[in-house]
Amino acid sequence: MKAMEEKILTCGQVLPGNVLKVGNFLNQQLDVDFLTEVGKEIARLYDGVGVTKIITIEASGIAIAVMAAQAMHVPCVIVKKHSSANQSKDLYTAEIASFTHGNTYTAAVAKEYINSNDNILIVDDFLACGNAIIGMKKIIDDAGAKLAGCAIAIEKCFQNGGNSLRASGIRVESLAMIKSMSENFVEFVKP
Ligand code: 5GP
């Protein structure tokens, strides 16, 4: 998606540790008009494959997941990183190593929100090493549901998570694919 690449070039900032800051439009501040188009593009990519539900992980995947869910007219389920008092005890869980925080956390979702007849699309803001997606896939597998594929706003291809997911047969669609990046420089994979 050319508009995603342009947004990264105009608003993104490369931080130490291979982190791309996109707080200006995707994380802390949301460019809602732009994200509406992102949602429509995800819906276009996965049109006709019978997606019944979108799943994402809190917090920064929520915005595009909601936009995609609106465009596809399906519910959006949010996997929680933190337990809360009003959360069900009947959970699907996965241990996930966090790329940005350097720790491991238990992601959880109440069993009532995923059914074995669901065909689920995973949506997230970034794909780096693939741990968040592998964790969400475990939850989908544990529920006996089907994984339709993944839709990612920004894939950092040099971190190889996307390649190993594709090699294992999972459909991964990334709206911007970064080949390399350094301070003041971002290079995209050529189509
Ligand atoms: P992975 O699990 O694929 O290694 O990392 C994906 C998760 O880490 C995403 O859910 C995202 O929140 C976070 N993440 C990974 N790389 C970046 C990055 O460069 N910038 C930001 N803002 N988040 C990232």
Side-chain angles (χ1 to χ4, degrees), residues 17-23 27 57-61 81 96-101 105 124-134 136 154 156 159 161-162 165 181:
N18 278 330
V19 172
L20 178 66
K21 185 178 168 196
V22 288
N27 291 158
I57 194 153
E58 64 177 358
S60 46
K81 282 182 182 166
I96 298 179
S98 166
F99 177 80
T100 37
H101 295 102
Y105 61 91
D124 206 358
D125 59 342
F126 274 91
L127 172 53
C129 305
N131 294 319
I133 288 181
I134 289 167
M136 284 188 269
I154 303 167
K156 293 182 292 178
Q159 286 172 314
L165 290 167
M181 64 185 202

PDB file of all heavy atoms in Angstrom, residues 17-23 27 57-61 81 96-101 105 124-134 136 154 156 159 161-162 165 181, ligand 1:
ATOM      1  N   GLY A  17      17.683   0.090  18.257  1.00  0.00           N
ATOM      2  CA  GLY A  17      17.125  -1.229  18.560  1.00  0.00           C
ATOM      3  C   GLY A  17      16.147  -1.713  17.515  1.00  0.00           C
ATOM      4  O   GLY A  17      15.286  -2.540  17.809  1.00  0.00           O
ATOM      5  N   ASN A  18      16.265  -1.175  16.277  1.00  0.00           N
ATOM      6  CA  ASN A  18      15.390  -1.609  15.181  1.00  0.00           C
ATOM      7  C   ASN A  18      13.916  -1.352  15.446  1.00  0.00           C
ATOM      8  O   ASN A  18      13.053  -2.151  15.058  1.00  0.00           O
ATOM      9  CB  ASN A  18      15.590  -3.098  14.871  1.00  0.00           C
ATOM     10  CG  ASN A  18      16.797  -3.332  13.986  1.00  0.00           C
ATOM     11  OD1 ASN A  18      17.135  -2.473  13.186  1.00  0.00           O
ATOM     12  ND2 ASN A  18      17.430  -4.479  14.143  1.00  0.00           N
ATOM     13  N   VAL A  19      13.630  -0.264  16.149  1.00  0.00           N
ATOM     14  CA  VAL A  19      12.237   0.099  16.425  1.00  0.00           C
ATOM     15  C   VAL A  19      11.848   1.284  15.544  1.00  0.00           C
ATOM     16  O   VAL A  19      12.568   2.284  15.473  1.00  0.00           O
ATOM     17  CB  VAL A  19      12.038   0.454  17.914  1.00  0.00           C
ATOM     18  CG1 VAL A  19      10.639   1.016  18.148  1.00  0.00           C
ATOM     19  CG2 VAL A  19      12.263  -0.767  18.791  1.00  0.00           C
ATOM     20  N   LEU A  20      10.723   1.146  14.855  1.00  0.00           N
ATOM     21  CA  LEU A  20      10.188   2.252  14.063  1.00  0.00           C
ATOM     22  C   LEU A  20       9.065   2.899  14.858  1.00  0.00           C
ATOM     23  O   LEU A  20       8.107   2.226  15.239  1.00  0.00           O
ATOM     24  CB  LEU A  20       9.658   1.726  12.716  1.00  0.00           C
ATOM     25  CG  LEU A  20       9.031   2.768  11.798  1.00  0.00           C
ATOM     26  CD1 LEU A  20      10.071   3.775  11.318  1.00  0.00           C
ATOM     27  CD2 LEU A  20       8.369   2.085  10.596  1.00  0.00           C
ATOM     28  N   LYS A  21       9.217   4.199  15.106  1.00  0.00           N
ATOM     29  CA  LYS A  21       8.177   4.910  15.851  1.00  0.00           C
ATOM     30  C   LYS A  21       7.151   5.461  14.867  1.00  0.00           C
ATOM     31  O   LYS A  21       7.504   6.196  13.937  1.00  0.00           O
ATOM     32  CB  LYS A  21       8.821   6.042  16.657  1.00  0.00           C
ATOM     33  CG  LYS A  21       7.874   6.784  17.552  1.00  0.00           C
ATOM     34  CD  LYS A  21       8.598   7.846  18.346  1.00  0.00           C
ATOM     35  CE  LYS A  21       7.588   8.766  19.004  1.00  0.00           C
ATOM     36  NZ  LYS A  21       8.205  10.021  19.466  1.00  0.00           N
ATOM     37  N   VAL A  22       5.890   5.086  15.078  1.00  0.00           N
ATOM     38  CA  VAL A  22       4.815   5.578  14.214  1.00  0.00           C
ATOM     39  C   VAL A  22       3.688   6.143  15.089  1.00  0.00           C
ATOM     40  O   VAL A  22       2.513   6.033  14.753  1.00  0.00           O
ATOM     41  CB  VAL A  22       4.283   4.471  13.265  1.00  0.00           C
ATOM     42  CG1 VAL A  22       5.287   4.155  12.171  1.00  0.00           C
ATOM     43  CG2 VAL A  22       3.940   3.212  14.043  1.00  0.00           C
ATOM     44  N   GLY A  23       4.118   6.736  16.207  1.00  0.00           N
ATOM     45  CA  GLY A  23       3.157   7.280  17.168  1.00  0.00           C
ATOM     46  C   GLY A  23       2.266   8.344  16.571  1.00  0.00           C
ATOM     47  O   GLY A  23       1.134   8.553  17.017  1.00  0.00           O
ATOM     48  N   ASN A  27      -0.009   4.658  16.443  1.00  0.00           N
ATOM     49  CA  ASN A  27       0.039   4.201  17.834  1.00  0.00           C
ATOM     50  C   ASN A  27      -0.572   5.201  18.820  1.00  0.00           C
ATOM     51  O   ASN A  27      -1.731   5.053  19.189  1.00  0.00           O
ATOM     52  CB  ASN A  27       1.467   3.840  18.241  1.00  0.00           C
ATOM     53  CG  ASN A  27       1.989   2.583  17.546  1.00  0.00           C
ATOM     54  OD1 ASN A  27       3.171   2.379  17.437  1.00  0.00           O
ATOM     55  ND2 ASN A  27       1.097   1.734  17.053  1.00  0.00           N
ATOM     56  N   ILE A  57      -4.071  -8.028  19.249  1.00  0.00           N
ATOM     57  CA  ILE A  57      -3.547  -8.040  20.616  1.00  0.00           C
ATOM     58  C   ILE A  57      -3.408  -6.601  21.089  1.00  0.00           C
ATOM     59  O   ILE A  57      -2.990  -5.739  20.309  1.00  0.00           O
ATOM     60  CB  ILE A  57      -2.225  -8.837  20.644  1.00  0.00           C
ATOM     61  CG1 ILE A  57      -1.809  -9.188  22.046  1.00  0.00           C
ATOM     62  CG2 ILE A  57      -1.125  -8.156  19.904  1.00  0.00           C
ATOM     63  CD1 ILE A  57      -0.957 -10.427  22.132  1.00  0.00           C
ATOM     64  N   GLU A  58      -3.775  -6.355  22.354  1.00  0.00           N
ATOM     65  CA  GLU A  58      -3.696  -4.980  22.832  1.00  0.00           C
ATOM     66  C   GLU A  58      -2.238  -4.543  22.940  1.00  0.00           C
ATOM     67  O   GLU A  58      -1.384  -5.377  23.163  1.00  0.00           O
ATOM     68  CB  GLU A  58      -4.428  -4.841  24.181  1.00  0.00           C
ATOM     69  CG  GLU A  58      -3.804  -5.633  25.303  1.00  0.00           C
ATOM     70  CD  GLU A  58      -4.528  -5.387  26.631  1.00  0.00           C
ATOM     71  OE1 GLU A  58      -5.463  -4.590  26.703  1.00  0.00           O
ATOM     72  OE2 GLU A  58      -4.115  -6.014  27.608  1.00  0.00           O
ATOM     73  N   ALA A  59      -1.874  -3.279  22.776  1.00  0.00           N
ATOM     74  CA  ALA A  59      -2.831  -2.245  22.523  1.00  0.00           C
ATOM     75  C   ALA A  59      -2.752  -1.718  21.094  1.00  0.00           C
ATOM     76  O   ALA A  59      -3.768  -1.363  20.500  1.00  0.00           O
ATOM     77  CB  ALA A  59      -2.570  -1.080  23.482  1.00  0.00           C
ATOM     78  N   SER A  60      -1.565  -1.715  20.512  1.00  0.00           N
ATOM     79  CA  SER A  60      -1.433  -0.925  19.289  1.00  0.00           C
ATOM     80  C   SER A  60      -2.015  -1.588  18.041  1.00  0.00           C
ATOM     81  O   SER A  60      -2.160  -0.928  17.016  1.00  0.00           O
ATOM     82  CB  SER A  60       0.024  -0.536  19.066  1.00  0.00           C
ATOM     83  OG  SER A  60       0.845  -1.654  19.269  1.00  0.00           O
ATOM     84  N   GLY A  61      -2.395  -2.861  18.114  1.00  0.00           N
ATOM     85  CA  GLY A  61      -3.046  -3.472  16.953  1.00  0.00           C
ATOM     86  C   GLY A  61      -4.523  -3.114  16.855  1.00  0.00           C
ATOM     87  O   GLY A  61      -5.147  -3.307  15.795  1.00  0.00           O
ATOM     88  N   LYS A  81      -3.257  -8.427  27.302  1.00  0.00           N
ATOM     89  CA  LYS A  81      -1.911  -8.664  27.841  1.00  0.00           C
ATOM     90  C   LYS A  81      -1.933  -8.644  29.357  1.00  0.00           C
ATOM     91  O   LYS A  81      -1.011  -9.129  29.999  1.00  0.00           O
ATOM     92  CB  LYS A  81      -0.968  -7.558  27.368  1.00  0.00           C
ATOM     93  CG  LYS A  81      -0.487  -7.707  25.954  1.00  0.00           C
ATOM     94  CD  LYS A  81       0.480  -6.579  25.629  1.00  0.00           C
ATOM     95  CE  LYS A  81       0.943  -6.669  24.197  1.00  0.00           C
ATOM     96  NZ  LYS A  81       1.606  -5.449  23.751  1.00  0.00           N
ATOM     97  N   ILE A  96       3.991 -14.966  25.222  1.00  0.00           N
ATOM     98  CA  ILE A  96       4.535 -14.211  24.087  1.00  0.00           C
ATOM     99  C   ILE A  96       5.724 -13.365  24.544  1.00  0.00           C
ATOM    100  O   ILE A  96       5.634 -12.639  25.539  1.00  0.00           O
ATOM    101  CB  ILE A  96       3.446 -13.302  23.462  1.00  0.00           C
ATOM    102  CG1 ILE A  96       2.291 -14.163  22.913  1.00  0.00           C
ATOM    103  CG2 ILE A  96       4.045 -12.435  22.358  1.00  0.00           C
ATOM    104  CD1 ILE A  96       1.158 -13.376  22.291  1.00  0.00           C
ATOM    105  N   ALA A  97       6.823 -13.458  23.802  1.00  0.00           N
ATOM    106  CA  ALA A  97       7.987 -12.604  24.069  1.00  0.00           C
ATOM    107  C   ALA A  97       7.754 -11.267  23.380  1.00  0.00           C
ATOM    108  O   ALA A  97       7.492 -11.216  22.177  1.00  0.00           O
ATOM    109  CB  ALA A  97       9.247 -13.279  23.531  1.00  0.00           C
ATOM    110  N   SER A  98       7.824 -10.181  24.157  1.00  0.00           N
ATOM    111  CA  SER A  98       7.558  -8.858  23.599  1.00  0.00           C
ATOM    112  C   SER A  98       8.799  -8.288  22.940  1.00  0.00           C
ATOM    113  O   SER A  98       9.859  -8.202  23.566  1.00  0.00           O
ATOM    114  CB  SER A  98       7.082  -7.920  24.707  1.00  0.00           C
ATOM    115  OG  SER A  98       7.131  -6.587  24.253  1.00  0.00           O
ATOM    116  N   PHE A  99       8.649  -7.876  21.671  1.00  0.00           N
ATOM    117  CA  PHE A  99       9.782  -7.283  20.959  1.00  0.00           C
ATOM    118  C   PHE A  99      10.143  -5.924  21.550  1.00  0.00           C
ATOM    119  O   PHE A  99      11.315  -5.622  21.769  1.00  0.00           O
ATOM    120  CB  PHE A  99       9.440  -7.113  19.469  1.00  0.00           C
ATOM    121  CG  PHE A  99      10.548  -6.452  18.708  1.00  0.00           C
ATOM    122  CD1 PHE A  99      11.648  -7.184  18.308  1.00  0.00           C
ATOM    123  CD2 PHE A  99      10.520  -5.093  18.434  1.00  0.00           C
ATOM    124  CE1 PHE A  99      12.693  -6.567  17.633  1.00  0.00           C
ATOM    125  CE2 PHE A  99      11.556  -4.473  17.769  1.00  0.00           C
ATOM    126  CZ  PHE A  99      12.640  -5.210  17.368  1.00  0.00           C
ATOM    127  N   THR A 100       9.138  -5.107  21.843  1.00  0.00           N
ATOM    128  CA  THR A 100       9.413  -3.731  22.264  1.00  0.00           C
ATOM    129  C   THR A 100       9.752  -3.614  23.752  1.00  0.00           C
ATOM    130  O   THR A 100      10.455  -2.711  24.150  1.00  0.00           O
ATOM    131  CB  THR A 100       8.229  -2.801  21.925  1.00  0.00           C
ATOM    132  OG1 THR A 100       7.012  -3.511  22.128  1.00  0.00           O
ATOM    133  CG2 THR A 100       8.280  -2.324  20.508  1.00  0.00           C
ATOM    134  N   HIS A 101       9.247  -4.549  24.575  1.00  0.00           N
ATOM    135  CA  HIS A 101       9.508  -4.422  26.022  1.00  0.00           C
ATOM    136  C   HIS A 101      10.563  -5.393  26.528  1.00  0.00           C
ATOM    137  O   HIS A 101      11.032  -5.265  27.659  1.00  0.00           O
ATOM    138  CB  HIS A 101       8.200  -4.610  26.808  1.00  0.00           C
ATOM    139  CG  HIS A 101       7.198  -3.527  26.532  1.00  0.00           C
ATOM    140  ND1 HIS A 101       6.119  -3.710  25.692  1.00  0.00           N
ATOM    141  CD2 HIS A 101       7.151  -2.245  26.928  1.00  0.00           C
ATOM    142  CE1 HIS A 101       5.444  -2.569  25.605  1.00  0.00           C
ATOM    143  NE2 HIS A 101       6.048  -1.674  26.338  1.00  0.00           N
ATOM    144  N   TYR A 105       5.088 -12.159  28.367  1.00  0.00           N
ATOM    145  CA  TYR A 105       3.808 -11.975  29.057  1.00  0.00           C
ATOM    146  C   TYR A 105       2.834 -13.069  28.639  1.00  0.00           C
ATOM    147  O   TYR A 105       3.040 -13.741  27.620  1.00  0.00           O
ATOM    148  CB  TYR A 105       3.218 -10.582  28.751  1.00  0.00           C
ATOM    149  CG  TYR A 105       2.942 -10.352  27.296  1.00  0.00           C
ATOM    150  CD1 TYR A 105       1.698 -10.656  26.743  1.00  0.00           C
ATOM    151  CD2 TYR A 105       3.920  -9.849  26.444  1.00  0.00           C
ATOM    152  CE1 TYR A 105       1.449 -10.462  25.402  1.00  0.00           C
ATOM    153  CE2 TYR A 105       3.680  -9.651  25.089  1.00  0.00           C
ATOM    154  CZ  TYR A 105       2.447  -9.952  24.584  1.00  0.00           C
ATOM    155  OH  TYR A 105       2.176  -9.770  23.246  1.00  0.00           O
ATOM    156  N   ASP A 124      -2.407  -6.963  13.028  1.00  0.00           N
ATOM    157  CA  ASP A 124      -1.527  -6.294  13.996  1.00  0.00           C
ATOM    158  C   ASP A 124      -0.815  -5.134  13.312  1.00  0.00           C
ATOM    159  O   ASP A 124      -0.789  -5.054  12.078  1.00  0.00           O
ATOM    160  CB  ASP A 124      -0.511  -7.295  14.575  1.00  0.00           C
ATOM    161  CG  ASP A 124      -0.020  -6.880  15.968  1.00  0.00           C
ATOM    162  OD1 ASP A 124      -0.433  -5.803  16.466  1.00  0.00           O
ATOM    163  OD2 ASP A 124       0.785  -7.616  16.570  1.00  0.00           O
ATOM    164  N   ASP A 125      -0.257  -4.250  14.135  1.00  0.00           N
ATOM    165  CA  ASP A 125       0.409  -3.082  13.559  1.00  0.00           C
ATOM    166  C   ASP A 125       1.775  -3.427  12.981  1.00  0.00           C
ATOM    167  O   ASP A 125       2.124  -2.976  11.900  1.00  0.00           O
ATOM    168  CB  ASP A 125       0.509  -1.933  14.581  1.00  0.00           C
ATOM    169  CG  ASP A 125       1.282  -2.303  15.840  1.00  0.00           C
ATOM    170  OD1 ASP A 125       1.472  -3.512  16.113  1.00  0.00           O
ATOM    171  OD2 ASP A 125       1.697  -1.383  16.576  1.00  0.00           O
ATOM    172  N   PHE A 126       2.551  -4.274  13.702  1.00  0.00           N
ATOM    173  CA  PHE A 126       3.907  -4.608  13.258  1.00  0.00           C
ATOM    174  C   PHE A 126       4.106  -6.106  13.221  1.00  0.00           C
ATOM    175  O   PHE A 126       3.520  -6.853  14.021  1.00  0.00           O
ATOM    176  CB  PHE A 126       4.944  -4.028  14.238  1.00  0.00           C
ATOM    177  CG  PHE A 126       5.319  -2.604  13.945  1.00  0.00           C
ATOM    178  CD1 PHE A 126       4.625  -1.566  14.548  1.00  0.00           C
ATOM    179  CD2 PHE A 126       6.349  -2.310  13.077  1.00  0.00           C
ATOM    180  CE1 PHE A 126       4.951  -0.248  14.282  1.00  0.00           C
ATOM    181  CE2 PHE A 126       6.685  -0.989  12.799  1.00  0.00           C
ATOM    182  CZ  PHE A 126       5.994   0.039  13.406  1.00  0.00           C
ATOM    183  N   LEU A 127       4.967  -6.527  12.316  1.00  0.00           N
ATOM    184  CA  LEU A 127       5.473  -7.901  12.310  1.00  0.00           C
ATOM    185  C   LEU A 127       6.990  -7.802  12.330  1.00  0.00           C
ATOM    186  O   LEU A 127       7.595  -7.239  11.406  1.00  0.00           O
ATOM    187  CB  LEU A 127       4.969  -8.645  11.071  1.00  0.00           C
ATOM    188  CG  LEU A 127       5.547 -10.031  10.784  1.00  0.00           C
ATOM    189  CD1 LEU A 127       5.430 -10.957  11.983  1.00  0.00           C
ATOM    190  CD2 LEU A 127       4.860 -10.663   9.576  1.00  0.00           C
ATOM    191  N   ALA A 128       7.584  -8.309  13.406  1.00  0.00           N
ATOM    192  CA  ALA A 128       9.044  -8.286  13.534  1.00  0.00           C
ATOM    193  C   ALA A 128       9.547  -9.730  13.529  1.00  0.00           C
ATOM    194  O   ALA A 128       9.782 -10.317  12.483  1.00  0.00           O
ATOM    195  CB  ALA A 128       9.444  -7.529  14.802  1.00  0.00           C
ATOM    196  N   CYS A 129       9.664 -10.341  14.714  1.00  0.00           N
ATOM    197  CA  CYS A 129      10.136 -11.731  14.793  1.00  0.00           C
ATOM    198  C   CYS A 129       8.984 -12.729  14.668  1.00  0.00           C
ATOM    199  O   CYS A 129       9.224 -13.935  14.533  1.00  0.00           O
ATOM    200  CB  CYS A 129      10.868 -11.960  16.114  1.00  0.00           C
ATOM    201  SG  CYS A 129      12.208 -10.791  16.358  1.00  0.00           S
ATOM    202  N   GLY A 130       7.772 -12.261  14.782  1.00  0.00           N
ATOM    203  CA  GLY A 130       6.612 -13.133  14.592  1.00  0.00           C
ATOM    204  C   GLY A 130       6.034 -13.709  15.876  1.00  0.00           C
ATOM    205  O   GLY A 130       5.083 -14.496  15.833  1.00  0.00           O
ATOM    206  N   ASN A 131       6.577 -13.323  17.020  1.00  0.00           N
ATOM    207  CA  ASN A 131       6.115 -13.942  18.277  1.00  0.00           C
ATOM    208  C   ASN A 131       4.649 -13.631  18.599  1.00  0.00           C
ATOM    209  O   ASN A 131       3.919 -14.510  19.070  1.00  0.00           O
ATOM    210  CB  ASN A 131       6.996 -13.493  19.448  1.00  0.00           C
ATOM    211  CG  ASN A 131       8.410 -14.005  19.302  1.00  0.00           C
ATOM    212  OD1 ASN A 131       8.614 -15.140  18.906  1.00  0.00           O
ATOM    213  ND2 ASN A 131       9.389 -13.162  19.587  1.00  0.00           N
ATOM    214  N   ALA A 132       4.228 -12.398  18.357  1.00  0.00           N
ATOM    215  CA  ALA A 132       2.841 -12.034  18.657  1.00  0.00           C
ATOM    216  C   ALA A 132       1.885 -12.872  17.798  1.00  0.00           C
ATOM    217  O   ALA A 132       0.869 -13.384  18.288  1.00  0.00           O
ATOM    218  CB  ALA A 132       2.618 -10.543  18.419  1.00  0.00           C
ATOM    219  N   ILE A 133       2.245 -13.050  16.537  1.00  0.00           N
ATOM    220  CA  ILE A 133       1.370 -13.820  15.638  1.00  0.00           C
ATOM    221  C   ILE A 133       1.370 -15.299  16.027  1.00  0.00           C
ATOM    222  O   ILE A 133       0.311 -15.945  16.052  1.00  0.00           O
ATOM    223  CB  ILE A 133       1.793 -13.622  14.174  1.00  0.00           C
ATOM    224  CG1 ILE A 133       1.393 -12.208  13.765  1.00  0.00           C
ATOM    225  CG2 ILE A 133       1.140 -14.665  13.263  1.00  0.00           C
ATOM    226  CD1 ILE A 133       1.699 -11.846  12.371  1.00  0.00           C
ATOM    227  N   ILE A 134       2.543 -15.827  16.367  1.00  0.00           N
ATOM    228  CA  ILE A 134       2.604 -17.237  16.774  1.00  0.00           C
ATOM    229  C   ILE A 134       1.738 -17.459  18.021  1.00  0.00           C
ATOM    230  O   ILE A 134       1.023 -18.459  18.139  1.00  0.00           O
ATOM    231  CB  ILE A 134       4.073 -17.669  17.003  1.00  0.00           C
ATOM    232  CG1 ILE A 134       4.792 -17.741  15.648  1.00  0.00           C
ATOM    233  CG2 ILE A 134       4.157 -19.012  17.723  1.00  0.00           C
ATOM    234  CD1 ILE A 134       6.304 -17.843  15.746  1.00  0.00           C
ATOM    235  N   MET A 136      -0.945 -15.663  18.918  1.00  0.00           N
ATOM    236  CA  MET A 136      -2.365 -15.596  18.542  1.00  0.00           C
ATOM    237  C   MET A 136      -2.777 -16.852  17.776  1.00  0.00           C
ATOM    238  O   MET A 136      -3.890 -17.350  17.935  1.00  0.00           O
ATOM    239  CB  MET A 136      -2.641 -14.322  17.738  1.00  0.00           C
ATOM    240  CG  MET A 136      -2.681 -13.086  18.616  1.00  0.00           C
ATOM    241  SD  MET A 136      -3.231 -11.598  17.757  1.00  0.00           S
ATOM    242  CE  MET A 136      -1.676 -10.941  17.174  1.00  0.00           C
ATOM    243  N   ILE A 154       2.801  -2.925   9.085  1.00  0.00           N
ATOM    244  CA  ILE A 154       4.217  -2.728   8.750  1.00  0.00           C
ATOM    245  C   ILE A 154       5.010  -3.986   9.103  1.00  0.00           C
ATOM    246  O   ILE A 154       5.059  -4.377  10.276  1.00  0.00           O
ATOM    247  CB  ILE A 154       4.796  -1.517   9.516  1.00  0.00           C
ATOM    248  CG1 ILE A 154       3.973  -0.255   9.216  1.00  0.00           C
ATOM    249  CG2 ILE A 154       6.271  -1.318   9.159  1.00  0.00           C
ATOM    250  CD1 ILE A 154       4.263   0.913  10.145  1.00  0.00           C
ATOM    251  N   LYS A 156       8.712  -5.646   9.206  1.00  0.00           N
ATOM    252  CA  LYS A 156      10.153  -5.388   9.128  1.00  0.00           C
ATOM    253  C   LYS A 156      10.775  -6.698   8.623  1.00  0.00           C
ATOM    254  O   LYS A 156      11.073  -7.593   9.400  1.00  0.00           O
ATOM    255  CB  LYS A 156      10.686  -4.958  10.488  1.00  0.00           C
ATOM    256  CG  LYS A 156      10.139  -3.585  10.922  1.00  0.00           C
ATOM    257  CD  LYS A 156      10.708  -3.129  12.243  1.00  0.00           C
ATOM    258  CE  LYS A 156      10.225  -3.986  13.369  1.00  0.00           C
ATOM    259  NZ  LYS A 156      10.778  -3.614  14.675  1.00  0.00           N
ATOM    260  N   GLN A 159      13.760  -8.812   9.939  1.00  0.00           N
ATOM    261  CA  GLN A 159      13.677  -9.577  11.189  1.00  0.00           C
ATOM    262  C   GLN A 159      13.047 -10.963  10.990  1.00  0.00           C
ATOM    263  O   GLN A 159      12.920 -11.725  11.938  1.00  0.00           O
ATOM    264  CB  GLN A 159      12.928  -8.766  12.252  1.00  0.00           C
ATOM    265  CG  GLN A 159      13.830  -7.640  12.759  1.00  0.00           C
ATOM    266  CD  GLN A 159      13.147  -6.654  13.657  1.00  0.00           C
ATOM    267  OE1 GLN A 159      12.054  -6.185  13.364  1.00  0.00           O
ATOM    268  NE2 GLN A 159      13.800  -6.321  14.736  1.00  0.00           N
ATOM    269  N   GLY A 161      10.388 -12.684  10.754  1.00  0.00           N
ATOM    270  CA  GLY A 161       9.175 -13.340  11.264  1.00  0.00           C
ATOM    271  C   GLY A 161       8.211 -13.679  10.141  1.00  0.00           C
ATOM    272  O   GLY A 161       7.650 -14.777  10.099  1.00  0.00           O
ATOM    273  N   GLY A 162       8.031 -12.743   9.221  1.00  0.00           N
ATOM    274  CA  GLY A 162       7.093 -12.939   8.116  1.00  0.00           C
ATOM    275  C   GLY A 162       7.507 -14.094   7.225  1.00  0.00           C
ATOM    276  O   GLY A 162       6.666 -14.909   6.823  1.00  0.00           O
ATOM    277  N   LEU A 165       6.770 -17.416   8.880  1.00  0.00           N
ATOM    278  CA  LEU A 165       5.328 -17.695   8.905  1.00  0.00           C
ATOM    279  C   LEU A 165       4.853 -18.142   7.519  1.00  0.00           C
ATOM    280  O   LEU A 165       4.105 -19.117   7.387  1.00  0.00           O
ATOM    281  CB  LEU A 165       4.549 -16.453   9.350  1.00  0.00           C
ATOM    282  CG  LEU A 165       4.715 -16.054  10.828  1.00  0.00           C
ATOM    283  CD1 LEU A 165       4.176 -14.651  11.067  1.00  0.00           C
ATOM    284  CD2 LEU A 165       4.029 -17.048  11.738  1.00  0.00           C
ATOM    285  N   MET A 181      16.423  -0.463   7.516  1.00  0.00           N
ATOM    286  CA  MET A 181      16.203   0.889   8.037  1.00  0.00           C
ATOM    287  C   MET A 181      17.356   1.279   8.961  1.00  0.00           C
ATOM    288  O   MET A 181      17.987   0.428   9.586  1.00  0.00           O
ATOM    289  CB  MET A 181      14.850   1.024   8.751  1.00  0.00           C
ATOM    290  CG  MET A 181      14.671   0.185   9.984  1.00  0.00           C
ATOM    291  SD  MET A 181      12.978   0.330  10.641  1.00  0.00           S
ATOM    292  CE  MET A 181      13.275  -0.172  12.356  1.00  0.00           C
TER     293      MET A 181
HETATM  294  P1  5GP B   1       6.991  -9.628  16.947  1.00  0.00           P
HETATM  295  O1  5GP B   1       6.167 -10.384  17.945  1.00  0.00           O
HETATM  296  O2  5GP B   1       6.626  -9.907  15.531  1.00  0.00           O
HETATM  297  O3  5GP B   1       8.474  -9.750  17.198  1.00  0.00           O
HETATM  298  O4  5GP B   1       6.687  -8.090  17.205  1.00  0.00           O
HETATM  299  C1  5GP B   1       5.416  -7.574  16.921  1.00  0.00           C
HETATM  300  C2  5GP B   1       4.867  -6.767  18.057  1.00  0.00           C
HETATM  301  O5  5GP B   1       5.865  -5.942  18.641  1.00  0.00           O
HETATM  302  C3  5GP B   1       3.777  -5.870  17.539  1.00  0.00           C
HETATM  303  O6  5GP B   1       2.579  -6.244  18.157  1.00  0.00           O
HETATM  304  C4  5GP B   1       4.192  -4.461  17.912  1.00  0.00           C
HETATM  305  O7  5GP B   1       3.334  -3.951  18.896  1.00  0.00           O
HETATM  306  C5  5GP B   1       5.589  -4.564  18.471  1.00  0.00           C
HETATM  307  N1  5GP B   1       6.621  -4.025  17.558  1.00  0.00           N
HETATM  308  C6  5GP B   1       7.584  -4.747  16.913  1.00  0.00           C
HETATM  309  N2  5GP B   1       8.404  -3.958  16.226  1.00  0.00           N
HETATM  310  C7  5GP B   1       7.973  -2.702  16.412  1.00  0.00           C
HETATM  311  C8  5GP B   1       8.428  -1.420  15.940  1.00  0.00           C
HETATM  312  O8  5GP B   1       9.416  -1.268  15.198  1.00  0.00           O
HETATM  313  N3  5GP B   1       7.696  -0.331  16.338  1.00  0.00           N
HETATM  314  C9  5GP B   1       6.603  -0.443  17.146  1.00  0.00           C
HETATM  315  N4  5GP B   1       5.964   0.701  17.468  1.00  0.00           N
HETATM  316  N5  5GP B   1       6.152  -1.624  17.619  1.00  0.00           N
HETATM  317  C10 5GP B   1       6.828  -2.744  17.256  1.00  0.00           C
END
